[in-house]
Amino acid sequence: IIKKSGANVVLIQKSILRDAYNELSLHFLAKMGILVVTDIERDDVPFICRTLGCTPIAHPDQCKTDKLGQAEHVGDVVMEGGNTKVVKFTGVLNPGKTMTVLLRGSNDLVIAEASRSLHDAQCVVRSLVKQKALIAGGGAAETEVALQLQAYAQTLQGKDAHCIQAFAESLEVLPYTLAENAGMKPIEVVTELRKQHAAGVKGAGINVKECCVDDMYSLHVVQPLLVSTSAIQLATETVCMILKIDDLVVVA
């Protein structure tokens, strides 16, 4: 069935419940000139399908011509600087839909940290694509919003004024924490931030390299607007859910 469909390369997903193949099946496939790539991670299947233009199937009976992808050459290559072999696909029919980034490190911890850093960078780019707006980093945006909310709270009365004032104070936790993590004096830094923002320097933020308050726009320290708005929105929704809790039942 696989041979009749025109396939000459078979990709098999890794399975922990049962053996997806055996040595006898690999032997017959090799005699028919069909290359078999085994133990593909489940998370890699959608990426491979988008890259090659193929469709995953659950059984060999479903192997049809319209489910196949195309590539000019498939083979093992040895990575530079080592003896690790990887399967390389070249001559893909519709290139540009996906991109492969190869991370290498001395141990698993270094690779995991590099992977997290790359994922964070991709999320920042994704946020910028979804909402094309940049704001000053270093706690400048949160300080400016807190200052404006505090001014607005003074025009109100009753519980509304107290709620908005508390919300403004909670936003200052971010520059406070940033200064604390940078080894600076957080109270003095937040006070200086308030002073500069009150003077009209809306881009004033924390310069962790020089341990001072500086204009983030002049330092080109910016971040996507969606990152800050999403964080504030999620934190607000979490607090609202907690406030709706009337009682807790402790089960011993």
Side-chain angles (χ1 to χ4, degrees):
I1 297 175
I2 297 176
K3 184 68 175 180
K4 289 181 179 179
S5 68
N8 54 10
V9 178
V10 177
L11 308 176
I12 301 178
Q13 177 184 319
K14 181 187 293 185
S15 176
I16 60 175
L17 300 178
R18 58 184 176 83
D19 292 334
Y21 60 92
N22 52 38
E23 295 298 330
L24 184 61
S25 63
L26 296 179
H27 171 70
F28 282 114
L29 289 172
K31 288 184 64 176
M32 290 185 289
I34 298 176
L35 173 66
V36 180
V37 182
T38 61
D39 296 337
I40 296 177
E41 296 291 342
R42 181 183 182 92
D43 296 338
D44 295 337
V45 173
F47 173 80
I48 294 174
C49 292
R50 289 196 304 269
T51 304
L52 301 178
C54 57
T55 304
I57 59 176
H59 196 273
D61 293 339
Q62 302 173 352
C63 188
K64 306 295 181 182
T65 305
D66 58 342
K67 298 182 181 296
L68 301 181
Q70 294 185 4
E72 293 181 0
H73 181 266
V74 181
D76 292 338
V77 296
V78 179
M79 298 302 302
E80 297 181 1
N83 55 1
T84 304
K85 287 186 177 181
V86 296
V87 180
K88 183 178 181 180
F89 292 80
T90 56
V92 180
L93 185 61
N94 294 316
K97 292 185 176 180
T98 57
M99 183 67 66
T100 300
V101 178
L102 182 62
L103 300 177
R104 303 180 67 179
S106 57
N107 51 54
D108 293 339
L109 183 62
V110 174
I111 295 177
E113 185 64 28
S115 178
R116 284 192 294 269
S117 300
L118 179 62
H119 181 265
D120 293 342
Q122 290 174 330
C123 290
V124 171
V125 175
R126 173 179 175 272
S127 300
L128 185 58
V129 171
K130 291 184 65 177
Q131 188 173 358
K132 297 178 177 60
L134 291 172
I135 58 176
E142 290 77 8
T143 305
E144 179 65 24
V145 173
L147 186 66
Q148 297 296 333
L149 286 177
Q150 288 175 354
Y152 176 63
Q154 293 178 0
T155 63
L156 302 176
Q157 295 180 353
K159 61 181 181 181
D160 292 339
H162 290 287
C163 292
I164 294 177
Q165 179 67 27
F167 193 95
E169 293 175 356
S170 66
L171 290 176
E172 293 182 344
V173 174
L174 192 142
Y176 185 96
T177 306
L178 181 61
E180 193 174 29
N181 292 339
M184 304 168 65
K185 297 179 180 179
I187 297 179
E188 295 181 3
V189 171
V190 173
T191 303
E192 181 65 22
L193 280 174
R194 292 174 184 169
K195 177 183 176 181
Q196 293 201 20
H197 279 267
V201 186
K202 296 184 178 181
I206 301 174
N207 185 350
V208 296
K209 292 184 178 180
E210 302 295 336
C211 292
C212 64
V213 176
D214 206 341
D215 188 3
M216 296 292 100
Y217 290 120
S218 63
L219 297 176
H220 304 291
V221 179
V222 292
Q223 65 184 32
L225 175 63
L226 188 61
V227 174
S228 296
T229 55
S230 298
I232 294 175
Q233 182 179 359
L234 291 175
T236 305
E237 292 176 354
T238 302
V239 173
C240 292
M241 292 178 62
I242 294 175
L243 292 176
K244 292 180 180 179
I245 299 176
D246 297 326
D247 198 2
L248 295 176
V249 179
V250 180
V251 179

